[in-house]
Amino acid sequence: METQILPINDNSIKFAAELLKKGEIAAIPTETVYGLAGNGLSAESVKKIFAAKNRPADNPLILHISDTDWLYRYTKSVPHPALKLAERFWPGPLTMIMPKNGLVPDETSGGLNTVAFRMPDNKYTLKLIELCGFPLAAPSANLSGLPSPTEARHVYNDLNGKIPLILDGGSCSFGLESTVIAFTEKGVKILRPGGVTPEMLSEYCYVEIDKAVTEGIGEERKALSPGMKYKHYSPKAEVYMIECVDNDQFVEFINKNYDKNTFVLTNIREEIRAKTIPYGSTSERDAAELFSVLRKADELGAEKIYVKAPAKKGIGLAVYNRLIRAAAFKVIKL
Ligand code: TXA
Ligand code: MG
């Protein structure tokens, strides 16, 4: 199959809507990462998404909606603080898990009796959902296991020949996937950190952070969010996250432990003898650039990547969560 890339605009979303109505799938831009979209109410469309990504069937998809009222169409009930959170954070990087009703196929929810919802913050993508008239199921548009795509060409590199269309909306402004929350008796639990931070949610309700956000999930612990148990965001190179007290310690470690195929993701350039890729400034920029620098390291032939551990505060928590997975939990504490 030939994969077409079209800039997203009023014409291309009409074309995309026709494809999606026929049961086809297409990659779409959002403010977080590119998604691989299909009709979330159609088991057949959803199966195409899983096949193209090579995604395990028990890893559920997010339904992307353009109108908060749609929550009532596809759930048994809308949990208490959900509407308040939707009003404050939608459209935006917040995904909320709710009990699903019979209109949502088990293929979409990975066999669970809950389903996740998000309203993406991209005006054309929202219009596209309206044109379709059904929610778009969309996981990140990468091959399962690789870093999520933040540019149309990342999607093309992973899925060329496997999907008919990529709508190009430029670089994703936030760059990491949405915050995923489940509702608890007391408030909410963060299953995956993202652009809507624990600090931001705390202004509206009680917030817990699932242990799996910063730690691995042992065999004994069942993942609340199935996606958390899989190897994730990994470039081909082996990533090591370095926890250290200051830059001097970091530089000293690198200069003792590098070889010709080692790349360091850092903005400390002069003192480091290994090859570097510029990275590491504000948490916003780190979030926006992380997946793209991981892909770049692969393109440059990196075998080993060293990167300093980010602080686990605010958006830094999301960056930490993706990095520790990219590193397959290999953390070196100095
Ligand atoms: O920003 C995003 O969320 C992007 C864009 C495209 O919207 N999408 C995305 O989808 O990251 P995906 O499929 O790559 O990640 C969805 C995560 C997975 O970890 C999945 O296990 C979890 O959400 N999830 C989805 N439905 C769930 C449910 N019913 N219960 C628990 N976890 C759920
Ligand atoms: Mg993903």
Side-chain angles (χ1 to χ4, degrees):
M1 164 187 319
E2 207 188 314
T3 302
Q4 218 184 334
I5 306 182
L6 296 176
I8 197 165
N9 56 36
D10 285 321
N11 288 329
S12 62
I13 58 172
K14 279 186 201 139
F15 176 64
E18 290 316 311
L19 266 182
L20 291 161
K21 283 182 191 167
K22 280 190 233 153
E24 263 313 325
I25 59 176
I28 56 168
T30 82
E31 82 286 20
T32 58
V33 300
Y34 277 78
L36 182 56
N39 180 350
L41 306 179
S42 153
E44 289 315 306
S45 300
V46 163
K47 280 185 195 159
K48 289 185 187 167
I49 298 176
F50 280 93
K53 275 182 64 84
N54 199 13
R55 178 174 172 112
D58 69 346
N59 193 2
L61 307 181
I62 298 171
L63 289 181
H64 294 71
I65 57 176
S66 55
D67 184 336
T68 307
D69 283 346
W70 285 20
L71 292 175
Y72 295 96
R73 290 195 199 167
Y74 307 115
T75 59
K76 284 203 170 127
S77 59
V78 179
H80 159 58
L83 283 185
K84 209 166 55 175
L85 297 177
E87 205 173 292
R88 166 65 182 83
F89 296 111
W90 280 0
L94 180 67
T95 294
M96 302 195 264
I97 298 171
M98 304 183 192
K100 79 175 182 90
N101 71 19
L103 292 177
V104 181
D106 285 342
E107 282 78 2
T108 300
S109 65
L112 298 175
N113 54 15
T114 55
V115 65
F117 293 93
R118 170 166 122 77
M119 190 187 290
D121 190 9
N122 178 299
K123 74 170 184 184
Y124 287 114
T125 297
L126 288 173
K127 273 199 201 168
L128 171 63
I129 299 169
E130 266 170 42
L131 287 177
C132 288
F134 46 72
L136 291 180
S140 48
N142 51 292
L143 281 178
S144 202
L146 296 186
S148 296
T150 54
E151 290 175 28
R153 74 179 175 91
H154 298 159
V155 180
Y156 188 81
N157 288 345
D158 281 16
L159 300 177
N160 179 23
K162 295 184 164 178
I163 60 172
L165 177 67
I166 301 170
L167 291 178
D168 187 347
S171 298
C172 300
S173 55
F174 183 67
L176 296 179
E177 307 85 344
S178 60
T179 304
V180 178
I181 59 171
F183 294 94
T184 62
E185 266 175 30
K186 285 196 275 183
V188 302
K189 186 176 223 176
I190 297 181
L191 306 183
R192 180 177 74 183
V196 174
T197 64
E199 294 84 349
M200 287 156 79
L201 289 166
S202 300
E203 289 180 27
Y204 297 85
C205 56
Y206 176 80
V207 179
E208 281 170 84
I209 301 177
D210 191 62
K211 259 194 166 163
V213 163
T214 50
E215 294 167 20
I217 300 172
E219 286 298 310
E220 74 288 349
R221 225 179 137 252
K222 197 167 173 284
L224 277 180
S225 184
M228 303 276 248
K229 73 183 175 201
Y230 297 108
K231 189 169 185 256
H232 248 116
Y233 318 118
S234 303
K236 292 187 202 88
E238 271 202 276
V239 180
Y240 290 84
M241 193 161 94
I242 314 294
E243 281 187 3
C244 50
V245 289
D246 58 22
N247 286 348
D248 288 349
Q249 207 185 21
F250 182 67
V251 173
E252 193 188 323
F253 170 83
I254 302 293
N255 287 344
K256 275 195 194 138
N257 293 282
Y258 76 97
D259 63 32
K260 69 178 192 338
N261 298 316
T262 302
F263 281 76
V264 187
L265 309 182
T266 184
N267 276 321
I268 318 167
R269 318 275 303 262
E270 316 72 60
E271 309 102 284
I272 287 188
R273 283 183 226 128
K275 295 173 198 150
T276 59
I277 298 178
Y279 181 74
S281 52
T282 62
S283 0
E284 282 78 8
R285 279 192 59 185
D286 287 357
E289 292 169 7
L290 178 65
F291 289 144
S292 144
V293 294
L294 290 176
R295 281 177 182 261
K296 184 166 176 194
D298 271 350
E299 283 163 22
L300 293 172
E303 279 172 14
K304 203 186 265 183
I305 297 173
Y306 289 125
V307 56
K308 232 169 100 172
K312 293 177 236 173
K313 279 199 317 254
I315 289 166
L317 182 67
V319 180
Y320 184 97
N321 170 271
R322 303 312 190 275
L323 257 180
I324 200 166
R325 279 168 177 73
F329 296 94
K330 295 187 298 298
V331 181
I332 298 174
K333 293 196 168 94
L334 300 182

